[in-house]
Amino acid sequence: MSDQTIRSLGATLTDAGVEFGVTSKRAERIELCVFDAEGKKEILRLPFTRDGDEHRLLVKGAKHGMRYGLRAHGAYDPDQGLWFDPSKLLIDPYAKELDRPFQYDPRLGIVGEDTQDLMPKAIVTRDVAVAPAKPLFQPGGLIYEVAVKPFTMLHPDVPAKQRGTIAALAHPSVIAYLKRLRIDAVELMPITAWIDERHLPPLGLTNGWGYNPVGFMALDPRLVPGGVKELRETVAALHAEGIGVILDLVFNHTGESDRHGPTLSLRGLDNPNYFRSLPDQPGTLVNDTGTGNTVACDQPATRRLIIDSLRHFVQHTGIDGFRFDLATVIGRGGNGFDPHGMTLRTMLADEVLRDRILIAEPWDIGPGGYQLGNFPASILEWNDRARDDLRRFWRGDAGIGDLATILAGSSSIFGRDGRAQTRSVNFLAAHDGFTLMDLVSYENKHNEANGENNRDGHNENYSWNNGIEGKTDDQSILNKRRADIEAMLSTLFATRGTIMLTAGDEGGRSQQGNNNAYCQDNAITWMDWATLDEELIGHTAWLAGLRRRFSAFADMDFFKGDGDVLWFSASGEPMSVPDWEAPDAGILGMAVRTEDRSNGRSTRLAMLFNRSTEELCAALPTSERGGWSQLTVSGEMPAGEHIAIPARSACFFVES
């Protein structure tokens, strides 16, 4: 390895000062702009020295906290994919902290318009290493998807100045809530710096989710005002309570968008080096993401930026793992998706990253973009088929065989290449789409508040409203909705593999039918702690306790059919072919061998799922121990020979 390949990029503090390194093949020259302590006045401009594709500069005597930006000179020819414009102040791709958030302004995309006054300034940081440790989270656990601001903004116990920030997650009341739910890891929706899409400011809206990044490492000051130190201390506080932290990162596109978008960082430094364009049309950006551009993850400079970003979060904040948005892009090359592509291989082989938890959203909208089940063996995958089939089962338009497949870990997807373990991340709802309460309260999306005449968002949500569309005071409808949520949560927690719950779904949080609420940084998405359904929360906490108690749920191995699982009908007898094929079957039974961790004994756990609108009578398989006990929120009770299974419910039994 040459000296050039191992020299740090970005801003590196040394005994002599600060050494800067930037990669650009095509820039004619790059300049460093140094600003005053307020980041408003430029006080110094220095040229970099070219060293191959790298540009380097040592600023002697410079210290931690210095604010800076970059300017790149070269040809401005968008038809050739070149956006060099020295009037544009650029963010260092390796910046770790910024002095203020991005705010969209049309001037950011107008050639020749100086943007120094509009742009945040990067801050030179001093890296502080955390002690190496294995990830707390392990496959098979419970992930809790959290949007930091909506989750904490209205929390009554969190001090006002901490609400909406990463530090709020370390508050004792928040940690106590996470522990009550027995959360194994929080998955933080994007916390790196982002910018609003250009259509939002005229509508009076802002991006509240962060899936429009500018910096891959730079933390957004709105969520992490204390910078890397705040993130590191919050991770440590969660780790001290046994809770891991997973970062949701966006490496598939940037907020620089299409050719009419702003020039903020990578585009202005070397667009062809960082973004994918059509082979014979360098000015036409590929849009495999639906956001205007697509990061060229197979390019060496981009690959290094991605790997260095991941290493930074592990080494300097202690992050347990990562979830990759539209992850197919990371494996894309000139010939499409390749699970053995260099970027994925480098990630999996890296000595810092190889033991981290990695989770893929295994699709994008490009050709061949749907890759569920095709990622490398050590990468977990969001399973949208499980999501949809779980919904369709409880809505009534999917067969019981579809449910059994999900309960067993989706071997038809993740075992089709001969693998013996599932990699499925099972979920009912995520940030993108209906909340769980809205899933049972709305037949149709209601995104009018987004300003796009309800055209945005998914049209097919496999949802139902239980008789009335939206909000109601009808107690009978409310009872039906709660029963449906409890049944679906029970089913999710009974699935084999890793499971994910989105914050607030355990308490009936609603977004008023909005299934694309990324631009609603307001009460539509903010979690109202005062109105959460305590009964639902208690049910979820109980389910999490069952999942911790019985080993079968978190077991990643597929069933072998050697007595480890029994599928049975309402009669208690093994399922027959006609039972599986019955179109109106209301009940499915499942009994699995498991360790009861409460006493260390091997036993069987049985589950009965009744999706009909009527109470049904069912029997359990003949006990090998003499009997069964039903597990309920209020405790255990002996189960008789014939059991009444309430309408729209899932019931659990342990062999006694």
Side-chain angles (χ1 to χ4, degrees):
M1 182 177 291
S2 69
D3 181 62
Q4 178 177 325
T5 61
I6 62 173
R7 294 176 70 183
S8 296
L9 295 173
T12 304
L13 281 166
T14 70
D15 292 339
V18 179
E19 182 180 357
F20 293 87
V22 179
T23 297
S24 177
K25 289 182 179 181
R26 297 166 183 82
E28 294 172 4
R29 76 178 190 274
I30 294 178
E31 295 173 317
L32 178 78
C33 300
V34 180
F35 292 85
D36 63 11
E38 286 74 40
K40 295 181 178 179
K41 181 180 179 182
E42 184 179 337
I43 58 177
L44 187 64
R45 188 176 297 194
L46 299 169
F48 281 72
T49 299
R50 190 172 198 123
D51 182 8
D53 290 341
E54 292 185 7
H55 302 251
R56 297 209 161 263
L57 171 65
L58 174 63
V59 182
K60 294 183 179 180
K63 299 183 183 301
H64 167 78
M66 185 178 83
R67 284 158 167 74
Y68 71 98
L70 305 172
R71 295 183 189 270
H73 296 253
Y76 181 84
D77 189 353
D79 287 341
Q80 296 301 312
L82 301 175
W83 270 271
F84 292 110
D85 180 1
S87 73
K88 295 291 176 284
L89 190 72
L90 305 174
I91 291 297
D92 179 0
Y94 278 74
K96 295 163 185 166
E97 294 184 9
L98 302 178
D99 67 349
R100 55 192 165 105
F102 285 95
Q103 285 190 314
Y104 179 79
D105 189 291
R107 288 167 51 203
L108 294 167
I110 299 176
V111 62
E113 287 273 352
D114 196 288
T115 56
Q116 173 179 306
D117 61 317
L118 299 174
M119 288 290 288
K121 311 306 183 293
I123 302 173
V124 174
T125 60
R126 185 183 302 279
D127 290 334
V128 176
V130 298
K134 292 185 178 299
L136 282 182
F137 182 80
Q138 294 299 315
L142 169 59
I143 295 171
Y144 193 62
E145 186 190 38
V146 172
V148 173
K149 184 177 180 181
F151 184 62
T152 63
M153 198 65 187
L154 300 179
H155 197 292
D157 297 337
V158 174
K161 65 180 181 180
Q162 279 192 347
R163 292 176 186 172
T165 72
I166 283 290
L169 298 178
H171 190 277
S173 292
V174 174
I175 288 179
Y177 184 78
L178 297 173
K179 292 184 71 175
R180 178 188 178 191
L181 294 177
R182 294 175 172 85
I183 301 302
D184 293 308
V186 291
E187 181 177 296
L188 305 182
M189 286 166 57
I191 61 172
T192 56
W194 75 87
I195 191 169
D196 286 337
E197 293 82 353
R198 65 177 178 267
H199 74 279
L200 292 181
L203 295 172
L205 300 172
T206 59
N207 186 322
W209 281 359
Y211 289 98
N212 203 37
V214 178
F216 292 161
M217 295 187 202
L219 298 171
D220 196 288
R222 290 167 287 193
L223 299 184
V224 203
V228 178
K229 180 175 183 288
E230 180 177 337
L231 177 59
R232 180 170 55 248
E233 290 178 348
T234 300
V235 171
L238 290 165
H239 279 178
E241 300 295 338
I243 302 168
V245 181
I246 296 168
L247 290 188
D248 188 342
L249 296 179
V250 182
F251 292 133
N252 58 74
H253 79 282
T254 76
E256 290 171 297
S257 188
D258 58 24
R259 66 181 292 159
H260 304 294
T263 297
L264 308 170
S265 184
L266 298 177
R267 169 176 292 172
L269 286 171
D270 194 345
N271 179 78
N273 211 28
Y274 294 105
F275 297 103
R276 195 173 297 284
S277 61
L278 294 181
D280 55 346
Q281 300 177 43
T284 302
L285 297 171
V286 171
N287 188 19
D288 289 337
T289 61
T291 58
N293 63 22
T294 302
V295 174
C297 296
D298 58 332
Q299 292 292 322
T302 312
R303 180 183 308 125
R304 181 177 179 186
L305 175 59
I306 291 171
I307 300 301
D308 286 349
S309 298
L310 299 177
R311 289 172 63 96
H312 160 64
F313 285 119
V314 173
Q315 293 177 314
H316 304 135
T317 69
I319 291 298
D320 298 82
F322 305 95
R323 181 260 184 189
F324 301 120
D325 184 66
L326 300 183
T328 300
V329 172
I330 298 176
R332 273 194 189 278
N335 297 317
F337 176 76
D338 181 2
H340 307 295
M342 181 60 74
T343 301
L344 287 172
R345 284 196 288 125
T346 302
M347 192 184 298
L348 295 172
D350 186 87
E351 61 181 6
V352 173
L353 305 176
R354 60 191 175 197
D355 68 345
R356 297 298 104 174
I357 299 298
L358 304 179
I359 303 171
E361 182 183 42
W363 53 78
D364 64 24
I365 66 169
Y370 190 75
Q371 294 293 332
L372 179 65
N374 294 330
F375 275 75
S378 58
I379 298 181
L380 304 177
E381 299 182 34
W382 271 27
N383 189 345
D384 65 323
R385 290 189 193 173
R387 175 200 65 195
D388 291 348
D389 283 349
L390 284 173
R391 294 178 177 191
R392 292 177 61 240
F393 173 81
W394 285 105
R395 192 171 74 165
D397 53 349
I400 56 176
D402 297 312
L403 175 61
T405 295
I406 300 163
L407 291 169
S410 299
S411 59
S412 58
I413 296 171
F414 298 104
R416 61 190 176 210
D417 58 358
R419 295 174 184 173
Q421 291 189 320
T422 186
R423 295 179 292 110
S424 182
V425 177
N426 300 319
F427 61 104
L428 290 160
H431 65 271
D432 188 11
F434 277 149
T435 68
L436 193 52
M437 175 58 77
D438 288 352
L439 184 68
V440 301
S441 304
Y442 294 87
E443 286 192 359
N444 302 296
K445 65 183 183 181
H446 294 269
N447 297 352
E448 291 82 4
N450 296 354
E452 298 185 47
N453 296 315
N454 208 32
R455 293 189 303 267
D456 61 309
H458 299 298
N459 290 317
E460 182 51 80
N461 299 283
Y462 305 109
S463 62
W464 61 98
N465 64 21
N466 275 291
I468 296 177
E469 186 76 353
K471 190 173 182 179
T472 180
D473 294 326
D474 187 320
Q475 192 59 49
S476 65
I477 300 294
L478 296 175
N479 290 342
K480 289 178 180 179
R481 290 175 178 175
R482 177 188 284 158
D484 282 355
I485 291 175
E486 288 188 355
M488 287 193 290
L489 286 171
S490 295
T491 311
L492 173 66
F493 277 72
T495 60
R496 178 159 284 210
T498 303
I499 63 171
M500 186 185 76
L501 181 69
T502 296
D505 278 351
E506 75 283 357
R509 182 180 71 91
S510 172
Q511 290 179 169
Q512 303 172 29
N514 194 318
N515 76 349
N516 191 33
Y518 76 101
C519 57
Q520 300 297 330
D521 185 14
N522 50 45
I524 290 177
T525 57
W526 295 356
M527 188 157 142
D528 186 352
W529 292 80
T531 61
L532 293 181
D533 186 324
E534 178 61 30
E535 184 174 325
L536 278 178
I537 294 172
H539 180 75
T540 306
W542 173 72
L543 290 170
L546 285 187
R547 197 168 170 93
R548 285 268 183 98
R549 176 179 169 183
F550 296 103
S551 63
F553 297 126
D555 192 337
M556 303 295 283
D557 291 340
F558 293 124
F559 292 120
K560 300 178 178 63
D562 57 359
D564 52 357
V565 63
L566 171 67
W567 304 100
F568 61 95
S569 66
S571 67
E573 297 298 321
M575 293 281 286
S576 64
V577 172
D579 289 332
W580 285 114
E581 295 178 348
D584 57 349
I587 279 190
L588 174 67
M590 175 187 185
V592 296
R593 294 200 180 280
T594 183
E595 178 191 354
D596 184 344
R597 293 187 177 122
S598 68
N599 54 32
R601 293 171 52 188
S602 177
T603 187
R604 283 196 301 171
L605 183 72
M607 291 146 276
L608 280 165
F609 305 90
N610 177 15
R611 68 168 169 185
S612 74
T613 57
E614 303 292 335
E615 177 180 283
L616 297 177
C617 186
L620 293 167
T622 301
S623 173
E624 298 172 356
R625 295 181 179 272
W628 295 87
S629 294
Q630 185 168 0
L631 304 170
T632 70
V633 175
S634 56
E636 296 185 21
M637 62 184 71
E641 183 176 347
H642 299 287
I643 306 159
I645 307 299
R648 311 289 288 170
S649 73
C651 298
F652 296 81
F653 306 85
V654 64
E655 215 165 11
S656 54

